[in-house]
Amino acid sequence: MNAPLTPLADFLQEALAKIRPLPPLDLELTQAYGNVFAEDVVAPGPLPAFDHAAIDGYAVRGDDVLGAREDRPVRVSAGSCLSVAAGAPMPAAADAVVPTHWTDEGMAAVEIYATPKRGHGVRRSGDELAAGTVVARAGQLVTPPVVALLAAAGVGHVVVRPSPRVVIVATGDELVEAGRQSAPGQVVDVNSHALTAAAVEAGGLAYRIGICDDDPEGLRAVLEDQQLRSDLIVMTGGTGYGPGDMVRRILGRDGTVVFTDLSVYPCSSLGFGTSGVEEVPIVCLPGDPGTALIGFEVLVRPVIQRLSGADPVFRPSVKAHLLETLSSPAGLREFRPACVSERRGGGYTVQPLAGGPYTLSGLAEANGLLVLGERVSTAAAGSTVDVLLLDRRR
């Protein structure tokens, strides 16, 4: 009797519990983009730091220009108003800025053609942020708007987690380099290129090592070499039970990697372990390119997110109405490429794309992964399903 398959949730919980975020770094603000905050960032002072004009014009006391209108302007002397530029400090007694185009732009005296409301054209100290406000949270990604807010608040350095160094290795004697068509008995190395791109998209610093032959000594040499310069090693190919599946035979036999059969389709088997003194995580993915990319989404991307200190580590998901009836393998959690669209009035619809042996074609078009649970063998059109949103904009 075959051993029961491991539920994906149990596998991920156990695997991710072994991953610790990388040690933090103190970086100058402009170098921190794309990293994740390792600790909360607090505004050292108020934003704005002082009361200032938000527009070009004349700083006035509102009471001095009450009733001003175009057919009955109020004439104000230089002692009662001050010409100011946007960003200039507000005079102590002034409580509004009259836009230049509301005036005759006079110098010694100014005619004002409209009455501003109190506070018009003024930004008060602390209007946007009070001193001590948490500006960014630990686990949050450093984005350009966040950099702008921090700089405005007077923050010059931040503590972040470094981007994980991810090494990608494709294994198999049958593999040949991309850029040529494979002959009988040969397979173009798709995975090392695709997974390197996926690791970059996930926020890693990815390094494609290329093809490693099915040679035990060569495989171990690659691992020993790369674990000194990486935070995560991703291997692809050789994870099955056949006599030529060297990765499982070599790394599984000595316990470096534990291979788990999952209730997942595709990607029903994943390897996970650690190597070396630093216990660098190793993930072993199947050799089929579409299946490997699904495996990346299932395990590798969450590991990269955990190493980088990101929170949450999983893709966001939505509920969507299915546009066509689907069949799904019984007892397996299926991940199928899909196109998700927002509906007018709210909510989402999802159109399934090619799966199974054509998963790679489906993924090239997809902006989401439709998820059908282990108990779902048929999902009817119009039913509600879960969809992971694939953000390809990074």
Side-chain angles (χ1 to χ4, degrees):
M1 181 180 295
N2 293 332
L5 299 176
T6 300
L8 179 59
D10 294 346
F11 172 77
L12 289 177
Q13 182 177 19
E14 183 177 348
L16 293 177
K18 299 176 182 177
I19 304 297
R20 296 288 179 267
L22 298 175
L25 297 172
D26 185 299
L27 293 181
E28 195 272 330
L29 185 58
T30 55
Q31 297 177 325
Y33 168 72
N35 295 104
V36 171
F37 291 104
E39 58 185 36
D40 292 352
V41 182
V42 175
L47 178 65
F50 53 87
D51 296 351
H52 67 263
I55 58 176
D56 296 335
Y58 295 86
V60 299
R61 285 195 331 134
D63 291 345
D64 292 343
V65 294
L66 284 176
R69 62 191 195 201
E70 193 163 358
D71 61 344
R72 189 181 295 174
V74 172
R75 189 175 181 81
V76 183
S77 66
S80 300
C81 70
L82 180 68
S83 177
V84 291
M90 287 292 291
D95 57 19
V97 176
V98 178
T100 303
H101 64 274
W102 290 8
T103 74
D104 67 350
E105 302 185 37
M107 298 295 290
V110 182
E111 287 193 350
I112 295 175
Y113 305 124
T115 303
K117 293 182 179 178
R118 189 180 303 275
H120 182 83
V122 178
R123 291 194 68 198
R124 295 294 182 188
S125 175
D127 268 355
E128 188 163 355
L129 294 174
T133 300
V134 176
V135 185
R137 298 275 181 191
Q140 179 181 341
L141 183 68
V142 183
T143 63
V146 171
V147 170
L149 183 60
L150 293 174
V155 176
H157 283 77
V158 291
V159 179
V160 298
R161 306 279 180 187
S163 297
R165 300 165 299 170
V166 184
V167 165
I168 312 295
V169 183
T171 67
D173 291 335
E174 75 281 9
L175 296 180
V176 294
E177 289 290 347
R180 53 184 280 193
Q181 291 187 340
S182 57
Q186 296 179 332
V187 177
V188 172
D189 172 25
V190 173
N191 288 351
S192 68
H193 296 278
L195 296 175
T196 299
V200 171
E201 183 189 79
L205 299 174
Y207 302 92
R208 175 185 173 267
I209 300 305
I211 300 170
C212 178
D213 293 335
D214 287 329
D215 170 60
E217 295 304 318
L219 184 61
R220 290 196 179 282
V222 168
L223 280 180
E224 291 176 6
D225 182 47
Q226 296 305 320
Q227 69 191 15
L228 300 175
R229 64 190 73 186
S230 61
D231 301 305
L232 171 64
I233 298 173
V234 179
M235 308 194 78
T236 176
T239 61
Y241 290 96
D245 289 314
M246 296 298 295
V247 172
R248 181 186 280 262
R249 288 177 59 191
I250 296 168
L251 301 184
R253 182 180 299 166
D254 63 8
T256 300
V257 173
V258 175
F259 290 85
T260 305
D261 293 328
L262 303 171
S263 56
V264 174
Y265 177 81
C267 199
S268 59
S269 180
L270 287 172
F272 179 79
T274 58
S275 178
V277 176
E278 298 297 328
E279 295 190 334
V280 176
I282 301 174
V283 176
C284 296
L285 301 175
D288 174 74
T291 303
L293 283 171
I294 295 293
F296 182 94
E297 288 293 333
V298 167
L299 177 59
V300 180
R301 189 178 189 279
V303 168
I304 292 174
Q305 297 297 297
R306 179 63 59 86
L307 287 169
S308 68
D311 184 27
V313 299
F314 296 109
R315 296 270 196 189
S317 64
V318 297
K319 300 284 187 182
H321 290 281
L322 190 58
L323 293 179
E324 68 178 59
T325 299
L326 281 180
S327 296
S328 186
L332 301 179
R333 178 173 292 268
E334 180 179 8
F335 292 83
R336 178 184 283 257
C339 278
V340 190
S341 301
E342 287 193 63
R343 297 189 303 181
R344 288 185 178 180
Y348 296 86
T349 59
V350 58
Q351 175 64 54
L353 298 172
Y358 309 107
T359 297
L360 194 59
S361 299
L363 284 171
E365 187 180 349
N367 64 355
L369 281 180
L370 190 156
V371 185
L372 299 175
E374 291 87 344
R375 298 182 180 180
V376 177
S377 57
T378 301
S383 60
T384 301
V385 295
D386 293 314
V387 184
L388 299 177
L389 301 179
L390 302 179
D391 183 1
R392 303 302 193 194
R393 296 170 298 173
R394 191 183 182 96

